[in-house]
Amino acid sequence: MGELFEFGKQILAQQPFSVLLGTELKAFEPGKAELSLIVKEELKQQHGFVHGGVVSYLADNALTYAGGSVLGDSVTSEYKINYLRPAIGDQLIARARVLSSGKRQAVCQCEIVATDNGEERMVAVAQGTITRVAS
């Protein structure tokens, strides 16, 4: 793995909420990022699905990683998420990519899948604007 990936792992380790959830960085390269987490009972809502807030967190973080890969230190300025089906499975994976970027912001898209016995099902899609932190 490269220097950018190692830097991304350091950033994730500095995010207490990500550490609490057990989020892992699986891929991080210019224009792309992939984050995952193992589904635990504590992350589910009353119907047995992963809580929408957890799915949304994962999308938000993946979007910002993708945007940050081309902008540097960045934050999410806005994003929208569409839940497609209940998140049921043993793991969630968020794969984000940059659609367009400039000097100060990037528009990114993310697909979130749930895996169950190795089979993936898309559970949500998100799109957001990521903004470089002023230096």
Side-chain angles (χ1 to χ4, degrees), residues 35-98:
L35 295 169
S36 71
L37 60 83
I38 301 299
V39 173
K40 302 175 224 172
E41 286 301 312
E42 297 84 3
L43 303 180
K44 295 180 180 179
Q45 44 85 296
Q46 73 277 13
H47 298 291
F49 316 145
V50 176
H51 192 284
V54 175
V55 176
S56 183
Y57 146 78
L58 198 59
D60 176 22
N61 216 7
L63 288 165
T64 305
Y65 261 87
S69 73
V70 297
L71 296 172
D73 190 14
S74 302
V75 294
T76 304
S77 56
E78 64 82 29
Y79 77 104
K80 178 197 186 312
I81 189 164
N82 290 92
Y83 299 101
L84 306 175
R85 65 178 44 88
I88 300 170
D90 48 37
Q91 180 179 225
L92 293 180
I93 302 169
R95 296 183 181 110
R97 65 187 177 94
V98 174

Side-chain angles (χ1 to χ4, degrees), residues 90-135:
D90 48 37
Q91 180 179 225
L92 293 180
I93 302 169
R95 296 183 181 110
R97 65 187 177 94
V98 174
L99 298 176
S100 179
S101 65
K103 292 180 183 178
R104 298 225 6 100
Q105 70 179 21
V107 174
C108 303
Q109 187 175 60
C110 181
E111 294 181 350
I112 302 91
V113 299
T115 65
D116 194 16
N117 295 318
E119 186 175 322
E120 293 185 1
R121 290 193 70 185
M122 192 178 322
V123 297
V125 293
Q127 181 169 304
T129 304
I130 309 307
T131 303
R132 184 169 54 102
V133 174
S135 13

